[in-house]
Amino acid sequence: MCIRDRYMGILKRFRTMNIFQIPHTSDKRPQTFVSIIDASGSMRPFWPALAKQFNLYVPKQGSITITFDTTPILIPDNTLSQDINKHGGGGTNITNAFELMDKKIEELDKKQVITVLFVSDGQDNNIDSLERRLKQLKGNQGRTITFICLGIQSQFPTFLSMYLRELYHNGLPSIPALYLIEYYS
């Protein structure tokens, strides 16, 4: 079998595969993509790959990017540096990042359709008070929000993604509460 025939066979099988993808919206309202990216020290081993993929695939226009460790940082050009220390690199306070996101969402027109991408390993400096602090967040504020949580490693606390989804997500119900990357290679 020649290489061309092998390639055509693979291509034919690929076309018939059903690969889950986040659905495209036919909604004509303005859209904003919000990213909340954990830049704490525990994310250091994953940061170079995360930054590379983020910079390749996340839109630079119509986006809001927040990185955080104990302090959230608004990234004006929506581009992540390969150096995690420019975005944090210390401890972790998840709720501080969401408080900043709540403020940025308040500034948007209520007609905006918002997609939120939260990427984290879920480690917080004070996990015992995390649930109490999460309850102080504002949530979707009557806006249309699709909430996507990308958990890094198997220790990601599922209660975190479930609670944040309940608080923010009012988009398609078929989108799961958590996409988990259990192993990274």
Side-chain angles (χ1 to χ4, degrees):
M1 176 181 280
C2 74
I3 292 175
R4 182 183 180 280
D5 291 340
R6 184 180 305 164
Y7 172 76
M8 294 307 289
I10 292 170
L11 184 61
K12 186 176 180 180
R13 281 183 296 213
F14 180 74
R15 286 182 184 156
T16 61
M17 290 172 45
N18 289 323
I19 299 173
F20 175 78
Q21 295 179 352
I22 296 171
H24 293 279
T25 180
S26 59
D27 199 322
K28 301 296 181 203
R29 294 180 291 173
Q31 299 194 17
T32 299
F33 190 86
V34 179
S35 303
I36 301 177
I37 310 296
D38 185 344
S40 64
S42 60
M43 291 289 289
R44 187 174 306 278
F46 316 104
W47 189 261
L50 172 61
K52 179 181 177 184
Q53 295 303 312
F54 183 89
N55 292 336
L56 281 173
Y57 293 107
V58 172
K60 302 302 177 230
Q61 302 296 324
S63 294
I64 298 169
T65 302
I66 299 168
T67 60
F68 70 97
D69 57 1
T70 53
T71 305
I73 300 170
L74 187 63
I75 308 302
D77 65 355
N78 299 307
T79 301
L80 298 182
S81 168
Q82 291 291 312
D83 181 3
I84 193 171
N85 293 323
K86 293 188 177 171
H87 300 284
T92 314
N93 187 321
I94 293 170
T95 53
N96 281 351
F98 279 91
E99 287 170 359
L100 177 56
M101 183 189 80
D102 285 346
K103 289 177 186 171
K104 298 308 289 181
I105 286 175
E106 283 178 349
E107 296 171 6
L108 298 174
D109 186 320
K110 282 200 177 242
K111 294 177 183 169
Q112 290 269 340
V113 175
I114 302 166
T115 299
V116 175
L117 172 66
F118 172 52
V119 181
S120 176
D121 61 5
Q123 305 308 308
D124 189 85
N125 282 355
N126 195 347
I127 201 80
D128 295 332
S129 70
L130 181 57
E131 196 166 351
R132 178 181 49 78
R133 290 180 286 133
L134 288 170
K135 290 179 180 176
Q136 297 172 0
L137 298 174
K138 295 180 180 176
N140 64 40
Q141 304 173 45
R143 290 166 163 76
T144 303
I145 296 180
T146 298
F147 186 84
I148 301 168
C149 180
L150 181 60
I152 307 297
Q153 301 242 286
S154 60
Q155 295 84 19
F156 185 91
T158 55
F159 86 87
L160 177 58
S161 61
M162 297 295 285
Y163 187 81
L164 289 170
R165 177 188 168 82
E166 182 179 319
L167 191 61
Y168 289 99
H169 185 81
N170 57 9
L172 291 172
S174 60
I175 295 176
L178 175 64
Y179 293 91
L180 183 66
I181 298 177
E182 192 167 355
Y183 299 103
Y184 169 74
S185 59

